[in-house]
Amino acid sequence: MRSSLNPKRTVAELKELRALTGNEDGAQRVAFTQTWLKGRAYLRSLVSRDLPEVEVHNDEAGNTWFTLRGASEKSLLIGGHMDSVPNGGWLDGCLNVFAGLEILRRIQAQYAGRPPVTVRLVDWADEEGARFGKSLFGSSSCSGNFDMAEARRLADKQGVTLPDALKKLGLDFERVKDSGRELKDAAAYLELHIEQGPVLLDLDLPLGAVLGTFGVERHAITFHGQAAHSGSTPMNRRKDAFLAAAKMSSEIYQIAGRSGNGVCTIGSCTTKPGIVTSVVEECRITLDQRHLDASKLAQMLAEARAASERFAAEGSVGVAWERLWQIAPRPFNDELIALCDQAIRETCGRSHRLPSGPLHDAAEVAAAGVPTVMMFVQSLHGISHNKIEDTREEHLELCVTAFDKLSEKTMQWMQSPGKIS
Ligand SMILES: [Zn+2]
């Protein structure tokens, strides 16, 4: 039977969404705004026009669920997010949703409205965290990882709190974790996303299978020296906090290099007294380290600590560490990664496995214990969260085709797990 899948329709719908909710500066679907709701209404209108048998509801965290009931309650979940950062790209998040819609259409047609398993598309609420500074709101509420005490205090630039913003949408902050019941019958979770980095572009490959999301260790490192006059203090008498911090700058490249796939970033540096005529007394840098392997991440952290102590001792300064944030690596399901590879090879010949540096909703679903995998499609310029974010149209069509194959393979796998042909 010939598939009714129409990837060109997905591209056309993404363009329509861009026209409806973007402007000359890019996508403007920041969560909890009118523009976001307009984008969501567009999605709902397509579902009710083309798939009237699909049930639609919002859960307690504002995630929208589109459910095509199958012969079994066991559910295949396909996820994405309609929200964007301000002045965002036209594909981040919504490509996943519209590809999922096209797959729902195909499955509905192929199985005459009654697939062997239940298929559900979820549009997660506020993946980006652009307004309240906290990413993955909807999916972490659903997974149970959402930190209520911390989130209760979050406010936007106007001073509106997250609980108040939710109330405006008819949502009760205290009940957001009740959304966890949506995962009750979930047997697999799939998410398609633009890569947002240059790996596939550099390999000249359209698609890749994602191994998991990086674990993150984020610390502030403060070196304490002594302020001294820049003219009267000989070089060998200085306790220069900046010198010790600066040595970290090249050291992190060595540490990341030894770790295999890890990355390290010193993203900020502040000095005190911060004047042109004084040796730096205090220098605070931030270090962000990421790796897919928990033991290698721990190793990178230990090496950075040891290096900071060595540089401090060499320069007769002190050093103190403060953890700002951490999250464990979230590896995806091995069998689903293999299916994703297969689907990609069948679609375009070659595949590549890569970790994800950015976090995604998929990380939360994986943490909740649902077998999960993501597929990446190449990003031009290797860039997103920017209006220049783009992907070749032929690659967009390929990714819908490959993701559809992955969905079909996953449905088969759900009925007899462990069997990968
Ligand atoms: Zn995204």
Side-chain angles (χ1 to χ4, degrees):
M1 181 181 145
R2 211 171 151 268
S3 170
S4 60
L5 192 80
N6 183 357
K8 284 193 193 313
R9 175 162 52 189
T10 305
V11 177
E13 286 167 351
L14 286 164
K15 287 180 178 169
E16 177 74 22
L17 179 74
R18 177 169 63 183
L20 275 173
T21 60
N23 58 26
E24 64 279 8
D25 295 320
Q28 306 298 341
R29 293 182 307 280
V30 176
F32 312 120
T33 62
Q34 286 305 315
T35 311
W36 176 60
L37 293 173
K38 195 170 166 189
R40 287 189 134 191
Y42 172 59
L43 173 67
R44 272 191 187 229
S45 72
L46 296 178
V47 173
S48 60
R49 183 194 69 192
D50 297 347
L51 298 166
E53 55 282 271
V54 164
E55 298 164 22
V56 186
H57 77 280
N58 278 358
D59 67 20
E60 290 83 352
N63 304 308
T64 305
W65 294 85
F66 301 90
T67 304
L68 177 63
R69 299 232 170 257
S72 160
E73 300 262 286
K74 260 197 206 175
S75 303
L76 166 64
L77 309 185
I78 298 173
H81 60 94
M82 291 290 284
D83 71 299
S84 72
V85 294
N87 306 327
W90 73 295
L91 300 168
D92 183 354
C94 53
L95 165 65
N96 340 357
V97 176
F98 283 86
L101 167 60
E102 188 56 30
I103 288 163
L104 270 186
R105 289 181 179 121
R106 191 274 299 165
I107 292 174
Q108 198 273 349
Q110 182 168 333
Y111 293 99
R114 187 81 172 158
V117 300
T118 297
V119 185
R120 310 183 72 196
L121 173 64
V122 53
D123 166 23
W124 299 110
D126 197 13
E127 190 269 353
E128 300 285 3
R131 181 166 165 196
F132 294 99
K134 184 99 185 117
S135 309
L136 310 179
F137 163 72
S139 54
S140 68
S141 298
C142 194
S143 73
N145 286 325
F146 185 64
D147 184 338
M148 300 290 287
E150 182 196 11
R152 197 173 277 115
R153 296 192 304 269
L154 293 176
D156 68 9
K157 283 191 195 123
Q158 276 72 45
V160 179
T161 65
L162 175 62
D164 283 344
L166 291 176
K167 204 190 241 169
K168 271 203 157 163
L169 292 173
L171 299 172
D172 177 356
F173 175 81
E174 301 303 330
R175 290 188 54 210
V176 295
K177 285 191 175 179
D178 291 355
S179 60
R181 82 165 75 88
E182 302 288 346
L183 296 181
K184 185 166 70 73
D185 296 312
Y189 176 82
L190 307 177
E191 187 172 329
L192 172 69
H193 208 284
I194 51 167
E195 184 203 331
Q196 304 176 282
V199 174
L200 294 172
L201 182 69
D202 288 350
L203 291 169
D204 196 23
L205 286 176
L207 304 171
V210 184
L211 295 163
T213 55
F214 276 162
V216 184
E217 284 282 359
R218 198 171 289 167
H219 290 81
I221 311 168
T222 307
F223 293 91
H224 295 277
Q226 193 172 52
H229 193 284
S230 65
S232 64
T233 318
M235 299 309 280
N236 65 352
R237 295 289 300 274
R238 298 180 178 209
K239 294 178 178 172
D240 186 343
F242 180 74
L243 176 63
K247 288 179 178 172
M248 290 297 287
S249 168
S250 59
E251 185 67 18
I252 62 166
Y253 283 80
Q254 310 292 325
I255 293 172
R258 283 193 293 274
S259 77
N261 277 328
V263 289
C264 301
T265 305
I266 294 175
S268 75
C269 175
T270 50
T271 60
K272 285 182 188 163
I275 54 172
V276 73
T277 53
S278 175
V279 173
V280 171
E281 178 169 72
E282 186 185 297
C283 184
R284 182 184 191 267
I285 57 176
T286 56
L287 177 62
D288 177 291
Q289 297 181 293
R290 303 181 185 221
H291 207 291
L292 186 61
D293 181 313
S295 64
K296 289 192 174 151
L297 180 60
Q299 175 73 18
M300 293 205 310
L301 175 60
E303 288 183 19
R305 262 185 204 278
S308 73
E309 282 158 15
R310 194 167 71 244
F311 300 145
E314 284 169 12
S316 303
V317 301
V319 62
W321 280 62
E322 177 200 350
R323 177 175 269 145
L324 301 175
W325 189 66
Q326 99 188 116
I327 189 167
R330 303 268 166 82
F332 293 155
N333 181 278
D334 286 338
E335 294 184 19
L336 291 181
I337 293 169
L339 291 183
C340 187
D341 249 345
Q342 264 182 21
I344 292 171
R345 278 199 304 271
E346 285 169 21
T347 308
C348 53
R350 277 197 305 153
S351 180
H352 178 71
R353 296 182 175 199
L354 70 168
S356 171
L359 279 169
H360 291 285
D361 294 309
E364 286 300 329
V365 186
V370 180
T372 293
V373 76
M374 292 183 75
M375 182 183 287
F376 276 170
V377 59
Q378 187 193 100
S379 291
L380 287 173
H381 328 295
I383 263 184
S384 82
H385 286 191
N386 186 311
K387 68 173 177 182
I388 69 164
E389 166 197 296
D390 206 0
T391 292
R392 277 193 209 112
E393 265 186 47
E394 61 190 274
H395 288 175
L396 290 176
E397 292 175 21
L398 277 178
C399 80
V400 178
T401 302
F403 196 59
D404 179 58
K405 285 187 200 296
L406 172 60
S407 306
E408 187 61 31
K409 288 174 188 294
T410 305
M411 284 205 291
Q412 306 304 330
W413 175 80
M414 285 164 58
Q415 295 168 81
S416 52
K419 270 198 209 151
I420 299 178
S421 54

